[in-house]
Every structure is written in structure tokens, then in C-alpha cells.
């Protein structure tokens, strides 16, 4: 599951995942660990999936 740290610090260590989470930068976490972190709703949120980027081109260009 993709989650994002939204708390007051620039970054925090997450020992249970063995990584550092930067504010507003989505991370991948196992579903169980992500669910536990999301219980702390004031500083964690589920990351929205990135918008797909599509290139459109006009014929004849």
C-alpha cells in the first residue's frame, strides 16, 4: 500500500519498515504496517495513485 507522511517534520525514521519517510513523498509499505500507521491519521494518509501521463499528438504534425 502506498502511504504518505504528512506530519510536522521534514522526515521521520520508521524503524519497523527500515526506512526514512519524507514529508509528502509517498512510500510503499506492507498492507499490515501501512494500516497501523494510518491509525495515526493526523500524520499519515493513504497516497493517491499518480495520475497517468499520456501524450497525445495530432496527426500530420
Amino acid at each position: 500500500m502506498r502511504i504518505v507522511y504528512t506530519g510536522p517534520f521534514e522526515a521521520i525514521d520508521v524503524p519497523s519498515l527500515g526506512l526514512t519517510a519524507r514529508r509528502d513523498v509517498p512510500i510503499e509499505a506492507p498492507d499490515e504496517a501501512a494500516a497501523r500507521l494510518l491509525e495515526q491519521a493526523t500524520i499519515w494518509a493513504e497516497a493517491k495513485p499518480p495520475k497517468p501521463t499520456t501524450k497525445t499528438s495530432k496527426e500530420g504534425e
Side-chain angles (χ1 to χ4, degrees):
M1 176 184 296
R2 289 170 50 86
I3 57 174
V4 63
Y5 168 69
T6 59
F9 301 106
E10 187 67 33
I12 61 169
D13 288 326
V14 187
S16 62
L17 298 177
L19 56 79
T20 299
R22 297 181 96 27
R23 185 176 353 130
D24 299 325
V25 177
I27 60 171
E28 259 321 304
D31 289 347
E32 187 177 315
R36 281 185 270 131
L37 290 170
L38 288 171
E39 289 174 357
Q40 303 170 31
T42 58
I43 62 170
W44 291 95
E46 192 167 346
K48 297 182 189 231
K51 292 183 180 179
T53 57
T54 58
K55 275 189 153 180
T56 57
S57 62
K58 296 179 184 174
E59 279 189 46
E61 287 188 332

